Amino acid sequence: MMYKYQSTLPSPPFIDVPGIANFRDIGGYPVQSPSDSPGGRPTRSIRRGLIFRSGEPTRLTKSGMQKLQSMGVTTIFDLRSAAEAMKDVHAIIESDGSRIERISAPIFAEDEDDDDDEEKDVRRGRAKKDASTQTETHEAAENTKMSKAYKRCAAHMHSGVDGTSNGYREILHHAGRALRTILIHLLSNPSDPILLHCKLGRDRTGVIIALLLSLAGVSDDIIAKEYQLTEVGLGPMREEIVADVLGRERDGEVVPRKKIDCLVGAREKNCRDLLNVLRRDFGSGECFVREKCGLHDGDVQAIKRTLVVDVVPCHYAGGVVEGDC
């Protein structure tokens, strides 16, 4: 389905890039510092114009590409699986003259499966049988490439509001490799703007952004509010997204309204639950980066210096800009 993108979103943080939905800068948010006076305005913030987030850019227009180039975006990180990305070719981005590199950094990699050996043998045998009889559909072939963790996460996400938190825990525990790819790039290219995306720019992108902001020292309240902005970002295409998802995945089944709301919603509680799991399972964003991404203290501190600047932050409350950006 061709989503009808609209440029009526509040800016900042949203930026109108023709052909890309839910596009915004994660910079400008206050960073907690021990030197800040109690109750005073913070003096440090996330660097603006460095990390952008969005929905998938498959329908990026030529003017949209020009916009990305004008912002200095050099690299796009695709958090979707290879099987998902194969469905949507980035025609303009993949062209020789785009000057923007696309890097696949899937949260759920196809070689990252947690089946035991017996289950893998059964699945391999089934795949060979299907191939020999040529009865396997294209969609079924794609599904065999999806990791078990991805399918488990998708089942959680479609089970209703409460399932989102379980889905995010699944994403969190599989995000290490993708986040490492992004962080290594930032270490080597600290001044080059990048774009992160999944399908809608909500779940997988939301978890990675939450980890980055937590690592930098942004408060849970601000991280949760930043996440909730996705509900604003997807608002203009709400009906199109619901119709598309239900048409592809539900085959006409009547779905409860609360489940439909989950398809395009971005409740602040979901992000708070994620941050609680992060602390319970890993301790902090910094501990996560050390344990799951394998980075040492020197690299972690260098990344923080890249993310954080000594600039008075923009203040957001519920997605409304209160200060001057």
Side-chain angles (χ1 to χ4, degrees), residues 15-17 52 63-73 99-100 193:
I15 300 172
D16 180 24
V17 178
F52 302 97
S63 62
M65 173 59 77
Q66 292 171 352
K67 181 69 173 181
L68 289 182
Q69 292 174 337
S70 72
M71 292 188 295
V73 174
R99 302 196 303 277
I100 295 180

Side-chain angles (χ1 to χ4, degrees), residues 78-248:
D78 189 343
L79 303 176
R80 300 173 300 168
S81 68
E84 289 177 277
M86 283 176 61
K87 300 178 185 178
D88 300 311
V89 178
H90 300 68
I92 296 177
I93 295 173
E94 300 290 355
S95 67
D96 293 336
S98 73
R99 302 196 303 277
I100 295 180
E101 181 182 11
R102 174 186 169 273
I103 296 178
S104 176
I107 296 291
F108 299 107
E110 290 160 13
D111 62 347
E112 190 178 56
D113 215 326
D114 52 3
D115 286 344
D116 59 31
D117 291 338
E118 182 178 354
E119 287 175 319
K120 289 179 179 178
D121 289 340
V122 170
R123 192 177 58 202
R124 289 191 193 102
R126 185 184 302 118
K128 289 179 180 178
K129 179 180 179 181
D130 288 341
S132 65
T133 58
Q134 297 186 1
T135 59
E136 188 176 32
T137 65
H138 177 66
E139 188 69 22
E142 287 177 341
N143 286 339
T144 63
K145 297 178 182 178
M146 298 295 188
S147 74
K148 193 172 184 179
Y150 176 91
K151 295 175 184 177
R152 194 163 54 236
C153 177
H156 285 312
M157 300 298 292
H158 286 113
S159 66
V161 175
D162 294 335
T164 301
S165 295
N166 292 326
Y168 281 9
R169 183 181 185 280
E170 200 76 53
I171 294 172
L172 177 66
H173 278 260
H174 288 81
R177 179 157 53 177
L179 182 58
R180 175 183 169 84
T181 299
I182 295 165
L183 294 178
I184 293 298
H185 178 89
L186 287 173
L187 283 170
S188 301
N189 307 274
S191 300
D192 294 348
I194 62 175
L195 170 63
L196 314 181
H197 78 87
C198 49
K199 178 63 176 176
L200 298 178
R202 179 190 61 178
D203 303 321
R204 287 165 286 188
T205 302
V207 171
I208 291 292
I209 295 299
L211 286 167
L212 287 170
L213 294 177
S214 178
L215 171 65
V218 177
S219 71
D220 287 3
D221 285 346
I222 295 295
I223 295 173
K225 284 180 168 56
E226 197 287 328
Y227 164 83
Q228 193 176 34
L229 286 173
T230 289
E231 197 157 294
V232 179
L234 296 179
M237 65 213 67
R238 178 185 178 87
E239 296 306 321
E240 288 92 340
I241 293 172
V242 170
D244 184 22
V245 174
L246 294 185
R248 286 187 291 107

